[in-house]
Amino acid sequence: MKSQILFFALLSIALCAQNPLFLNETYTTGLVNIQKSSDIFYWLFESRSNPSTDPLVIWLTGGPGCSSELALFTENGPFSVNDNLTLENNAYSWNNQANLVFVDQPVGTGFSFAGKGELVTNEDEVGEDFYQFILGFLEQNPQFIGRPLFITGESYAGHYIPAIGAELVKQNNPKINLQGLAIGNGLVNREVQDPTYGEYAYKNKLISAFKYYFVVKPALAICSSLTTIKAPMILSNIFCNIGLEAILGSGQTPKFNIYDIRKPCIGSLCYNMTNVDNFLARNDVKSALGVSGRTWQECSNTVHTALTKDQNVNLAQKVAYVLESGIKVLAYSGDQDFICNYMGGIAWTNAMEWTQQKAYQQAQFQDYQVNGQSAGQIKGAGNFQFLRVYQAGHMVPMDQPAVALHLINQFISS
């Protein structure tokens, strides 16, 4: 009887595997049940250094509704996809010194499934679902109970990460050893970030002085004011769109890549993700991942629509709550990104109210060096830092992989 109990217990524990299909990286995948019938998919890669002691780093892509496999294959994962749908090793993968987990959340994102009526509509629900995910993940991977944990991500994860961090702090579960949050080019507080679109566009010669002062600046100022007073989004969006269209144009394809102003916009995400789409559509790949019968998509419109009203919510106070608990936070921004530009990053971090707000506002930027080269500017106070990364767009690990690996390794080891 005891042997039968042990056998069934082992079935619920995720087992690490190696597969030539995935270049023999040691990995685990799994589905964690959330709510009644929903689940969240994850893909864990063991550290290439010391998997039994290295920290656990979780990555969340934004959207809302975009799959974290996008980052896995194009940014900070162990490999990228070639044109012939084979994989190529990434020497700058974030699992070089960490156990790295890519999570498809909220429910309904990527390979995850959302049951009827179970889509999240606000960040409190995001945090609650993710807490349940962490508990299920630790049940399947008990070796990580109590291991130092860092939650990272980019873009709309500027909403997800503060909410998740705040929920984990509130729960204070001894199994979960949260040590830090890292937010890349995050949308945290639209009220102060939206007006910087005009300033950023003008500074980078994307619009003329006339268009900036007489169209973009006043339109975005009204947009920000309406967001502040929580006016109906249908009203605030009128002025937000006037300002943005004056910069981007009125067609479906913007005048430039909104994630990297140095490049043209190609495809719905301004990048060609066809190789990733085709690779994750392969039956042998889905079988190896344990998701046979499911269809992967880059971004879910359904998930995005469910969170429509959430987009104007200010998440900075949840960042402050996490900071006041003693958890460290890093916000970093590639300076070639338009849509979540570094000026907006400076704006929301300066506006955030916390006990060291004044010290942070008065702090001066210092040169940030990687391998003896100037790679950005950094400033901070207490357990909070903001880093501007030079010559990187929205996806810092894609554009500056060595810098991105350095910043995350420094963050998780300091």
Side-chain angles (χ1 to χ4, degrees):
M1 184 67 173
K2 287 183 179 180
S3 62
Q4 287 181 314
I5 293 174
L6 177 61
F7 172 76
F8 287 113
L10 287 173
L11 285 180
S12 68
I13 297 175
L15 299 177
C16 291
Q18 289 183 327
N19 189 326
L21 182 63
F22 303 128
L23 305 185
N24 289 320
E25 287 280 345
T26 304
Y27 75 95
T28 299
T29 64
L31 295 165
V32 175
N33 290 332
I34 304 293
Q35 300 185 55
K36 294 180 180 179
S37 57
S38 301
D39 58 41
I40 289 178
F41 170 79
Y42 69 88
W43 192 344
L44 160 70
F45 295 95
E46 277 197 354
S47 170
R48 292 169 172 174
S49 298
N50 299 295
S52 62
T53 57
D54 281 344
L56 185 67
V57 172
I58 291 177
W59 175 270
L60 308 175
T61 292
C66 292
S67 167
S68 290
E69 278 76 69
L70 289 170
L72 192 165
F73 289 108
T74 65
E75 297 187 62
N76 54 0
F79 27 65
S80 58
V81 186
N82 296 315
D83 289 341
N84 65 357
L85 301 190
T86 61
L87 299 183
E88 183 172 337
N89 177 67
N90 176 16
Y92 300 101
S93 176
W94 282 16
N95 73 320
N96 277 3
Q97 296 180 36
N99 298 284
L100 179 61
V101 191
F102 293 89
V103 182
D104 279 347
Q105 69 82 53
V107 296
T109 300
F111 281 126
S112 298
F113 176 76
K116 186 177 181 180
E118 296 182 3
L119 290 169
V120 300
T121 59
N122 60 66
E123 293 305 319
D124 288 337
E125 294 172 351
V126 167
E128 291 163 3
D129 276 9
F130 202 85
Y131 177 63
Q132 294 304 316
F133 166 76
I134 289 284
L135 294 180
F137 174 85
L138 293 177
E139 184 177 347
Q140 295 178 12
N141 303 273
Q143 70 271 29
F144 294 114
I145 293 174
R147 191 81 64 92
L149 170 66
F150 297 86
I151 311 290
T152 69
E154 70 192 9
S155 194
Y156 205 79
H159 268 49
Y160 298 153
I161 293 172
I164 290 167
E167 181 68 19
L168 296 185
V169 169
K170 183 182 76 172
Q171 292 290 342
N172 195 28
N173 190 320
K175 292 182 178 181
I176 302 171
N177 183 15
L178 181 65
Q179 292 292 303
L181 310 178
I183 303 169
N185 288 79
L187 178 66
V188 179
N189 179 0
R190 283 193 61 181
E191 176 186 334
V192 296
Q193 288 181 258
D194 278 356
T196 66
Y197 286 134
E199 183 184 359
Y200 181 86
Y202 179 49
K203 180 178 179 180
N204 286 279
K205 297 180 173 57
L206 300 172
I207 54 174
S208 66
F210 178 85
K211 185 173 281 189
Y212 172 57
Y213 285 108
F214 292 98
V215 181
V216 176
K217 187 175 182 179
L220 292 178
I222 297 172
C223 161
S224 177
S225 297
L226 292 171
T227 301
T228 301
I229 65 173
K230 298 180 172 56
M233 284 188 70
I234 192 170
L235 179 60
S236 61
N237 282 347
I238 291 173
F239 293 94
C240 298
N241 290 338
I242 290 173
L244 286 173
E245 285 186 5
I247 301 170
L248 302 175
S250 57
Q252 285 192 333
T253 302
K255 293 179 179 178
F256 54 86
N257 187 326
I258 59 174
Y259 305 112
D260 190 332
I261 61 173
R262 301 167 296 183
K263 301 175 182 177
C265 180
I266 301 172
S268 60
L269 296 180
C270 280
Y271 292 91
N272 186 351
M273 302 291 186
T274 303
N275 288 351
V276 178
D277 296 335
N278 292 338
F279 184 79
L280 290 176
R282 285 170 46 176
N283 289 330
D284 59 336
V285 171
K286 289 195 285 187
S287 177
L289 297 179
V291 290
S292 294
R294 299 194 177 202
T295 300
W296 182 84
Q297 56 182 331
E298 295 172 7
C299 300
S300 167
N301 288 330
T302 306
V303 173
H304 189 281
T305 301
L307 282 164
T308 297
K309 293 182 179 179
D310 178 67
Q311 295 173 28
N312 282 353
V313 178
N314 177 9
L315 271 294
Q317 288 313 301
K318 287 190 182 290
V319 177
Y321 172 74
V322 171
L323 286 168
E324 304 292 13
S325 77
I327 304 299
K328 63 182 179 179
V329 178
L330 168 67
Y332 64 91
S333 291
D335 64 7
Q336 301 301 303
D337 177 33
F338 168 78
I339 201 66
C340 291
N341 62 73
Y342 78 95
M343 291 180 177
I346 293 172
W348 81 256
T349 57
N350 278 327
M352 180 173 61
E353 297 178 358
W354 62 305
T355 53
Q356 298 208 48
Q357 181 183 19
K358 187 173 181 180
Y360 175 78
Q361 289 173 337
Q362 294 176 345
Q364 298 298 307
F365 276 103
Q366 306 293 322
D367 189 42
Y368 182 78
Q369 293 204 346
V370 176
N371 300 323
Q373 301 292 319
S374 181
Q377 291 180 313
I378 191 167
K379 78 168 193 169
N383 49 336
F384 182 58
Q385 289 183 309
F386 176 82
L387 170 63
R388 171 189 176 183
V389 181
Y390 293 151
Q391 298 304 304
H394 194 68
M395 283 76 90
V396 173
M398 174 192 290
D399 298 325
Q400 294 291 343
V403 175
L405 180 60
H406 181 273
L407 74 84
I408 195 62
N409 284 344
Q410 188 177 58
F411 184 65
I412 65 178
S413 62
S414 60

